[in-house]
Amino acid sequence: MTTIRDVAKRAGVSVTAASYALNDTGTIAEATRKRVLDAAVELNYHPNAFARNLKKRKTHTIGVFISRFGGAFYEEILEGIHSVILDTDYELLVCPESRSARRILLHRQVDGAIVFDSKIPDEPLLNLASYHFPIVVLDRALQNDFILPLLLDNAQGVREAFAHLYQQGLQRMAFVAGAEDSFDNAERRDAFLTEAQQHSLFVTVVPGNFTEISGYEAANLILQSDILPNAVFCANDQMAIGFLRAMRQHGLRAPADIAVVGFDDIPLARYMDPPVSTIGTSRFEWGASAARQLIDFLDNEIPFQPQRIPTRFLPRASSMLSGAP
Amino acid sequence: MTTIRDVAKRAGVSVTAASYALNDTGTIAEATRKRVLDAAVELNYHPNAFARNLKKRKTHTIGVFISRFGGAFYEEILEGIHSVILDTDYELLVCPESRSARRILLHRQVDGAIVFDSKIPDEPLLNLASYHFPIVVLDRALQNDFILPLLLDNAQGVREAFAHLYQQGLQRMAFVAGAEDSFDNAERRDAFLTEAQQHSLFVTVVPGNFTEISGYEAANLILQSDILPNAVFCANDQMAIGFLRAMRQHGLRAPADIAVVGFDDIPLARYMDPPVSTIGTSRFEWGASAARQLIDFLDNEIPFQPQRIPTRFLPRASSMLSGAP
DNA sequence: TTAATGGAGTGAAACGTTTCATTTTACCCT
DNA sequence: AGGGTAAAATGAAACGTTTCACTCCATTAA
């Protein structure tokens, strides 16, 4: 491996001069600068990132901590993040699991983090932030000068979907909830309950955990009641798909018997039969915002600006009564 | 940040002793060892990864270079890789774009690489390998003591699919090709042509580029011919899906009018109407193999063992004539 | 008693950069 | 010609580890 020492020797200058020339800092005459740069090319020199990071106390890497690679959900967020990183001189370190997340964060191998993994508890994040380490969280409402929550506007989407159902005269509604520890689930459920209350509707809430199977089981539970709901709101699309599967097995059809709405707009939702009404957002934009704010914070010390990521209701066949708008 | 110096001072020993104690090397009395460890805990000490890497000339990170995050295709491979990495003390650096790939590799920020990005040319990989840098390639047939190709057994899957079509009496076949520069496309096409030749079949090959739209266009081209094929083999599922869409628009049905087969077994294939026959593999296992061999090479100097990843044909409705097995 | 042995611990160099403080060089102005 | 100044270049310290080579001391063997 060729080092800066070799380059300096070849260019006939001191190591310092070589460093200044390479980094375009300090004061170096144009002629010598050129000589150094040429020498670097000739020797195929590439600075050792570790030595540099050690000295500069900066890694030029941002870490993304998600709970797993799987799922179109994360994909699009990652692509959004990546699209922003591309235009900077930062690297991306993607860590799909909380165990190694701890190690990476503690060893300060990144300059900042984007977190979307509810398995990582709040406490270590707050601790990191207290050392002025910047973090963007996509899955919790933590706030702090060094922590930026960038959350979905869950309530907005729920309101739109609710209105859509209500305007079609559907009044016997049920909500299939997601995982208990999920922030988004709580917001979606609360928004739904608020709407119900404002419209003086009595609604039922059935537990679930975001998996297709839990939606399936929720349906089996609901379908045992004497009076069936005529609209069901699932806290995500997977559960809506499970719910629809159970309905089919009971000989029921959506939306004629029960209108079904999901959340997230996963790709599959559009391909189901019937296509599933859902609430979507631009996940690409979401990731991009996160990266943009983090980079701005790191490079230009622009303070974090909390904001909500807009969501919108996407009406599809699973909840459109024939003759409805 | 607390350094090893602080720990040493607190434990009342030299820096050397602290280092030995923490790394369990050298000769340190049990009592002092314990004192050092306790001090480290009390001070919440975590070694600086850069200083360590700089000194040890090892990063304990492996790099994965893919062309983008999107696509269920990469997801499962990544999960397979990750599942292996988890049990080691390595980190994962995922880089979804060839531009930064170059930087990372050149700056030696990883100890080894897994490459699945045809936009990265062979030459830099060979160059790296010449410095004894180990690389697993998933998308090309490069071979070298330090380069391990881990490729799909494309021919196997194609043979099975071909037999399936042929045994149903389908003899007018066409092949919709993928991107020109793709190794897998070349193998699939060649295997198909070989089969056709062995069965004395005259077949047509239509160009494509792996996108759904190119499958759609290929179909429009094919459907103009006087004599339609009765079986079409697409080099991947996306194109098969595009092909089916075009067929529908022309009022044709699969498999009755044309039997359609894809390749890759993407999740959507199973959900199409009709479900798309395809050729699948365990991508999770694929990724896991790659990671396993790389780690074994790095940690235990076990030489690379080239192997083919098995594929198998998955018959579904899009190619099963009624009454067929 | 002395020499050899080996366990426990230490000092200092090294990894490859960056950057502060300083020196050298070149130029300009009276 | 000489002092002043700015530009250009340099030496050396520092970043936080690891590790080589060495010392010190107690124990054992002769």
Side-chain angles (χ1 to χ4, degrees):
Chain A
M1 278 290 80
T2 122
T3 79
I4 200 174
R5 196 157 261 108
D6 304 321
V7 174
K9 190 178 297 175
R10 172 122 188 182
V13 296
S14 71
V15 170
T16 308
S19 175
Y20 284 157
L22 259 7
N23 293 295
D24 221 350
T25 56
T27 59
I28 296 288
E30 194 47 44
T32 45
R33 199 177 107 78
K34 179 150 179 4
R35 243 185 318 137
V36 171
L37 263 34
D38 288 349
V41 170
E42 284 166 31
L43 296 175
N44 191 24
Y45 166 75
H46 295 281
N48 178 304
F50 298 112
R52 160 175 282 170
N53 290 340
L54 174 59
K55 183 64 193 178
K56 299 188 95 157
R57 298 148 152 283
K58 193 148 194 298
T59 69
H60 272 278
T61 302
I62 79 158
V64 179
F65 301 89
I66 57 183
S67 57
R68 59 198 189 86
F69 281 118
F73 199 88
Y74 292 120
E75 260 176 54
E76 297 171 28
I77 294 179
L78 282 171
E79 294 201 328
I81 294 174
H82 182 241
S83 76
V84 170
I85 297 294
L86 258 190
D87 295 331
T88 70
D89 55 350
Y90 282 83
E91 288 332 326
L92 210 53
L93 180 66
V94 180
C95 171
E97 194 261 348
S98 39
R99 184 137 52 100
S100 23
R102 213 182 115 72
R103 223 172 18 195
I104 291 175
L105 288 171
L106 285 174
H107 295 202
R108 281 290 190 297
Q109 298 198 67
V110 292
D111 291 340
I114 297 176
V115 172
F116 199 152
D117 180 355
S118 53
K119 281 197 220 66
I120 299 179
D122 288 352
E123 183 265 310
L125 299 182
L126 286 167
N127 182 39
L128 244 15
S130 75
Y131 290 116
H132 293 197
F133 180 87
I135 306 174
V136 182
V137 291
L138 269 30
D139 64 342
R140 63 194 79 195
L142 234 48
Q143 185 142 11
N144 177 305
D145 279 357
F146 293 88
I147 300 185
L148 167 69
L150 230 48
L151 303 170
L152 285 184
D153 191 350
N154 288 298
Q156 169 63 19
V158 170
R159 274 195 300 272
E160 288 179 24
F162 191 98
H164 159 85
L165 296 172
Y166 191 82
Q167 281 162 14
Q168 294 186 98
L170 303 172
Q171 304 216 343
R172 296 196 310 279
M173 301 196 192
F175 184 88
V176 180
E180 262 313 308
D181 63 349
S182 155
F183 175 81
D184 284 320
N185 174 56
E187 280 208 338
R188 290 166 194 183
R189 188 198 49 213
D190 292 350
F192 178 80
L193 292 176
T194 302
E195 287 301 301
Q197 190 154 16
Q198 285 182 1
H199 292 78
S200 309
L201 252 48
F202 176 79
V203 299
T204 38
V205 174
V206 186
N209 65 4
F210 281 142
T211 60
E212 183 178 331
I213 186 78
S214 78
Y216 180 85
E217 286 165 356
N220 284 334
L221 199 68
I222 287 179
L223 299 182
Q224 284 172 9
S225 6
D226 299 337
I227 305 175
L228 293 189
N230 49 22
V232 168
F233 197 115
C234 297
N236 79 348
D237 288 341
Q238 258 103 26
M239 293 197 299
I241 288 169
F243 198 98
L244 286 166
R245 187 155 55 86
M247 278 177 64
R248 241 190 326 272
Q249 290 184 3
H250 282 76
L252 298 175
R253 308 196 34 142
D257 298 305
I258 305 179
V260 174
V261 171
F263 206 120
D264 284 345
D265 188 25
I266 64 174
L268 192 52
R270 156 187 309 125
Y271 286 101
M272 290 298 290
D273 180 30
V276 184
S277 294
T278 187
I279 293 162
T281 195
S282 166
R283 282 186 280 275
F284 185 94
E285 238 335 289
W286 193 5
S289 292
R292 219 177 286 124
Q293 288 220 36
L294 190 53
I295 300 288
D296 274 348
F297 184 97
L298 287 169
D299 281 354
N300 312 320
E301 290 170 18
I302 298 176
F304 281 150
Q305 320 231 315
Q307 68 187 77
R308 284 282 179 162
I309 308 298
T311 60
R312 65 186 190 293
F313 177 60
L314 305 167
R316 298 204 184 112
S318 75
S319 70
M320 303 264 274
L321 295 184
S322 52
Chain B
M1 280 289 80
T2 120
T3 79
I4 200 175
R5 197 156 261 108
D6 304 321
V7 174
K9 191 179 297 177
R10 171 120 187 183
V13 297
S14 69
V15 170
T16 307
S19 175
Y20 283 156
L22 291 166
N23 293 296
D24 220 349
T25 55
T27 59
I28 297 288
E30 194 46 46
T32 46
R33 199 177 108 79
K34 180 155 177 0
R35 244 184 318 137
V36 171
L37 263 35
D38 288 348
V41 171
E42 284 166 31
L43 296 175
N44 191 24
Y45 166 74
H46 296 280
N48 178 304
F50 299 113
R52 160 175 284 169
N53 290 342
L54 175 59
K55 184 64 193 177
K56 298 187 97 158
R57 300 148 150 284
K58 194 150 194 295
T59 69
H60 271 279
T61 302
I62 79 160
V64 179
F65 301 90
I66 57 183
S67 57
R68 57 195 191 89
F69 280 119
F73 199 88
Y74 292 120
E75 260 176 54
E76 297 170 28
I77 294 179
L78 281 172
E79 295 201 329
I81 293 173
H82 182 241
S83 76
V84 170
I85 298 293
L86 259 190
D87 295 331
T88 70
D89 54 352
Y90 282 82
E91 289 333 326
L92 210 53
L93 180 66
V94 180
C95 171
E97 194 261 348
S98 39
R99 184 137 52 99
S100 23
R102 214 183 115 72
R103 220 167 27 189
I104 292 176
L105 287 170
L106 285 174
H107 294 201
R108 281 291 191 294
Q109 298 197 67
V110 292
D111 291 340
I114 298 176
V115 171
F116 199 152
D117 179 355
S118 52
K119 282 197 219 64
I120 299 178
D122 288 353
E123 183 264 308
L125 300 182
L126 286 166
N127 181 38
L128 244 15
S130 76
Y131 290 116
H132 293 198
F133 179 87
I135 306 175
V136 181
V137 291
L138 269 31
D139 64 343
R140 64 194 79 196
L142 233 48
Q143 185 142 8
N144 176 306
D145 279 357
F146 294 87
I147 299 184
L148 166 69
L150 232 47
L151 303 168
L152 285 184
D153 191 350
N154 287 298
Q156 170 63 19
V158 170
R159 274 195 299 270
E160 287 179 23
F162 190 97
H164 158 85
L165 295 172
Y166 191 82
Q167 281 161 15
Q168 293 186 99
L170 303 172
Q171 305 216 344
R172 296 197 308 282
M173 301 196 191
F175 184 87
V176 179
E180 262 313 309
D181 63 349
S182 155
F183 175 81
D184 283 320
N185 173 58
E187 281 208 338
R188 289 167 195 182
R189 187 198 51 213
D190 293 349
F192 178 81
L193 292 176
T194 303
E195 286 301 302
Q197 189 154 16
Q198 285 182 1
H199 292 77
S200 309
L201 252 49
F202 176 78
V203 297
T204 38
V205 174
V206 186
N209 64 6
F210 281 143
T211 61
E212 185 179 329
I213 186 77
S214 77
Y216 179 85
E217 286 165 355
N220 285 334
L221 198 69
I222 287 179
L223 298 182
Q224 284 173 9
S225 7
D226 299 335
I227 305 175
L228 293 188
N230 50 21
V232 168
F233 198 115
C234 298
N236 79 347
D237 288 341
Q238 259 104 26
M239 294 197 298
I241 288 169
F243 198 98
L244 286 167
R245 188 154 56 84
M247 278 178 64
R248 241 189 327 272
Q249 290 184 4
H250 282 76
L252 296 175
R253 309 196 32 143
D257 297 304
I258 305 180
V260 174
V261 172
F263 206 119
D264 284 347
D265 189 24
I266 65 173
L268 192 52
R270 158 187 308 124
Y271 286 102
M272 291 297 290
D273 180 29
V276 185
S277 293
T278 188
I279 293 162
T281 193
S282 167
R283 283 186 280 274
F284 185 93
E285 239 334 291
W286 193 6
S289 292
R292 218 176 288 122
Q293 287 219 37
L294 189 53
I295 300 287
D296 273 348
F297 184 97
L298 287 169
D299 281 354
N300 312 319
E301 289 169 19
I302 298 175
F304 281 149
Q305 318 233 317
Q307 68 187 78
R308 285 281 179 163
I309 308 298
T311 60
R312 64 184 189 295
F313 176 61
L314 305 167
R316 297 207 183 109
S318 75
S319 70
M320 301 265 273
L321 296 183
S322 54

